[in-house]
Amino acid sequence: IDIQSAVGKGTAVSVRLPSCIDVEVPELEIGKVPEAPRSRLLVVEDDEDICHFFAHFLEGQHDVETVSDGREALDAFTPGRYDVALIDLGLPGMPGDQLALEIRERDAALVTVLVTGWDLEKDDPRLSAFDFWLKKPLKNLNHVKGVIGSAIAFHQTKANASS
């Protein structure tokens, strides 16, 4: 921080911050992730930007519905309507882990993906409600696409096992 002040001329404040480069995220190689078959995805997220991201990122590949409230998602849920549910942990209406448990109880073939920015320990009991986990911010699109593809493949395995 540099402050220059002169009587009658005013004050100039300069702030210099170091640049930040995220070296953990590899360059995107979307073509290396196999395409998942078209599926029905439910996104339950109170952050409008995240809902918008999923709707547009998956547009054309999957059928995506978004809901911003846990209780509304549960009230509208119908068994067999979705293959995968992507659920935030901190939701209005009801916590995401409770929502995941309740909708999985109604539809055992449904696969749940936790989408959260919270730092959780691997032994956090809330994680047991989910089959997969995406950490916000969603920086690596290749990873997001891979997790969703794995969730869809797992759904197909669960659905085939119950038939």
Side-chain angles (χ1 to χ4, degrees), residues 74-143:
L74 183 62
D75 291 344
F77 184 80
T78 305
R81 184 173 178 183
Y82 305 104
D83 304 316
V84 176
L86 297 101
I87 304 170
D88 186 20
L89 196 55
L91 291 169
M94 73 185 323
D97 58 320
Q98 183 181 346
L99 171 64
L101 290 171
E102 291 197 32
I103 61 178
R104 284 173 71 180
E105 188 175 301
R106 295 181 185 183
D107 185 349
L110 181 77
V111 175
T112 55
V113 179
L114 171 63
V115 183
T116 188
W118 295 1
D119 289 322
L120 302 173
E121 298 295 324
K122 292 194 185 300
D123 61 347
D124 190 306
R126 295 173 291 189
L127 292 174
S128 65
F130 300 94
D131 301 299
F132 296 90
W133 181 3
L134 283 170
K135 179 87 164 114
K136 291 188 271 186
L138 303 169
K139 296 179 184 178
N140 184 330
L141 300 181
N142 196 39
H143 177 70

Side-chain angles (χ1 to χ4, degrees), residues 17-98:
L17 302 172
S19 63
C20 178
I21 298 173
D22 190 357
V23 295
E24 294 179 28
V25 179
E27 204 168 309
L28 297 178
E29 297 179 36
I30 297 295
K32 294 198 175 192
V33 176
E35 288 292 321
R38 186 169 199 86
S39 298
R40 299 158 302 171
L41 309 178
L42 171 65
V43 177
V44 187
E45 169 65 64
D46 61 333
D47 184 325
E48 190 175 311
D49 291 334
I50 299 291
C51 285
H52 184 76
F53 163 77
F54 279 118
H56 289 285
F57 180 61
L58 301 169
E59 180 178 59
Q61 299 169 312
H62 304 289
D63 300 319
V64 181
E65 288 185 42
T66 61
V67 180
S68 61
D69 181 279
R71 179 58 57 192
E72 287 177 28
L74 183 62
D75 291 344
F77 184 80
T78 305
R81 184 173 178 183
Y82 305 104
D83 304 316
V84 176
L86 297 101
I87 304 170
D88 186 20
L89 196 55
L91 291 169
M94 73 185 323
D97 58 320
Q98 183 181 346

